[in-house]
Amino acid sequence: MPPRVTTLKELAASLDLSITTVSRALAGHEQIALRTRERVAQAARQAGYVPNTAARTLVSGRSGFVGLVLPIRGPNLVDSFLGEFVTGLGEGLVSHGADLILATAALGQSELSVLRHVVESGRADGVVVTRIAEVDERLAYLRERGFPFVAHGRLLDSDFAYNWLDTDGAHAFGEAFDMLYDLGHRHFGLVTISEPMTFRHLRQDGLAAAIGRRGDPSVRLDVATAPRFDRGARIQAINRMLQQPERPTAVIALFDELALTVMEEAVRAGLSVPRDLSVVGFDNVVASAYAPPGLTTFDASIRQCAREIADMLLTVIAERPTAPLTRLIRPTLVPRASHGPAPQTRS
């Protein structure tokens, strides 16, 4: 094992290269031959060398960090999506020698104010923005500043040019409806959120389009809506739907956490899933496979999407492409035991 080095000068001497060459190689400068960059990176890893961030920034003009604003929602909120996303993003960045900064927005604090601080402090070379609203002030600010970013999600305004990666929720919700319709269901429930998020709009549009394509006047759709982070209001809305004299036989939820709550409340109401009620979610979070009887959902490949976003953002930072980088990923149906034929008789 090579001896540990603690300074750039020692690393350069061990490779018989100039300090300038080693510094630029570690910073990823394209003027340095790829073979040399790889050789320097390997030697640095083997020798345990960690570049001084301040010095690296002075040489390259880059910090080597990517920012993500993490809103604090409260002590009792479990956010499975965000955990998978942050893990994938970190994996994607570290594979390229970059690091992730998490900047927290306190409960009630504007995410935009925290984002401004990350950008204007120079702590990050670019940022990732998640959970895009139909009209999103964060993206407007970043584009106006000309600061590198990639959004996980889309705006409703298709004329607004920016870098994004998204999953095709509209297609998934159409597929979910068709699957349940073919199983005999005609009375549907949709559990959704009240916030004006683009993914909500697109998924609901996909469901409405699939209903329209059937042209079947016997199809009914009940909608239960609650604020995204208000679990009490969510449970009340779901129970109002389930306790109707004529309740839906199939429920499609905007994402898995809502679908899992539907299954929990159905059991409390004495309903059997899927004999009395079919339930379908979206995201394929880890808990969806283990919550009895197993949630049928769509795999949004959250972790892999985050890795690809890391790749996209590092490309944007390094190359500043003139045309926006965009990618739409089609999620995959994960059939489990929470859906089945429509019941012939209902309690």
Side-chain angles (χ1 to χ4, degrees):
M1 183 174 179
R4 182 176 179 83
V5 299
T6 58
T7 68
L8 189 66
K9 183 177 180 180
E10 290 173 349
L11 180 62
S14 70
L15 292 166
D16 196 24
L17 295 171
S18 72
I19 293 175
T20 300
T21 297
V22 172
S23 177
R24 288 178 176 171
L26 290 171
H29 275 252
E30 294 184 357
Q31 298 95 323
I32 306 300
L34 176 60
R35 182 172 296 179
T36 301
R37 280 183 275 154
E38 291 174 344
R39 177 185 167 214
V40 170
Q42 182 179 7
R45 285 194 298 270
Q46 291 175 344
Y49 173 72
V50 179
N52 179 279
T53 301
R56 179 173 63 182
T57 302
L58 286 173
V59 172
S60 68
R62 298 176 187 163
S63 67
F65 288 93
V66 162
L68 176 70
V69 176
L70 182 67
I72 304 300
R73 302 295 184 186
N76 298 319
L77 179 71
V78 177
D79 195 331
S80 302
F81 165 87
L82 197 56
E84 289 191 48
F85 187 85
V86 170
T87 299
L89 186 60
E91 289 170 343
L93 293 172
V94 77
S95 67
H96 293 284
D99 294 301
L100 177 63
I101 292 177
L102 294 178
T104 54
L107 193 64
Q109 183 180 17
S110 163
E111 285 188 48
L112 179 59
S113 66
V114 178
L115 182 62
R116 278 200 181 106
H117 177 70
V118 171
V119 171
E120 294 167 15
S121 67
R123 294 164 62 197
D125 301 323
V127 294
V128 173
V129 187
T130 64
R131 290 172 170 157
I132 308 304
E134 294 173 359
V135 177
D136 201 303
E137 61 183 0
R138 298 169 299 171
L139 302 196
Y141 162 73
L142 290 166
R143 194 174 76 160
E144 183 180 350
R145 282 295 303 257
F147 194 77
F149 75 94
V150 175
H152 184 224
R154 289 170 284 170
L155 297 166
L156 283 185
D157 181 4
S158 59
D159 294 330
F160 187 101
Y162 61 105
N163 308 297
W164 58 263
L165 180 147
D166 200 8
T167 49
D168 193 349
H171 182 273
F173 271 52
E175 184 177 346
F177 171 81
D178 287 338
M179 174 184 69
L180 294 166
Y181 184 93
D182 290 342
L183 288 169
H185 295 276
R186 296 296 181 268
H187 191 175
F188 291 81
L190 171 67
V191 178
T192 186
I193 60 174
S194 55
E195 290 85 349
M197 309 299 290
T198 310
F199 74 86
R200 179 200 72 165
H201 185 99
L202 295 173
R203 293 174 197 178
Q204 292 179 184
D205 278 359
L207 176 60
I211 294 172
R213 284 193 295 269
R214 292 287 180 171
D216 184 346
S218 69
V219 172
R220 295 173 54 188
L221 178 66
D222 297 340
V223 180
T225 304
R228 179 170 193 166
F229 300 108
D230 188 335
R231 179 170 171 79
R234 175 195 308 177
I235 290 173
Q236 288 178 1
I238 290 170
N239 279 320
R240 282 194 296 270
M241 174 182 285
L242 296 182
Q243 292 169 9
Q244 296 177 114
E246 292 189 26
R247 56 169 176 77
T249 63
V251 172
I252 302 173
L254 201 65
F255 46 85
D256 283 350
E257 289 175 21
L258 298 180
L260 294 172
T261 305
V262 170
M263 293 203 300
E264 292 168 2
E265 296 307 309
V267 170
R268 289 193 178 97
L271 301 175
S272 173
V273 177
R275 185 190 65 202
D276 302 317
L277 182 72
S278 289
V279 183
V280 176
F282 185 97
D283 276 339
N284 196 31
V285 299
V286 173
S288 65
Y290 300 102
L295 175 64
T296 294
T297 185
F298 285 84
D299 189 354
S301 303
I302 298 167
R303 195 161 168 175
Q304 181 57 34
C305 284
R307 292 192 197 102
E308 293 190 31
I309 286 173
D311 290 342
M312 291 171 67
L313 181 55
L314 294 175
T315 298
V316 171
I317 291 168
E319 301 177 12
R320 300 295 178 109
T322 55
L325 304 182
T326 64
R327 184 163 184 208
L328 184 62
I329 295 174
R330 181 162 291 182
T332 305
L333 177 67
V334 182
R336 297 194 180 104
S338 68
H339 78 287
Q344 296 302 308
T345 59
R346 293 183 296 179
S347 57

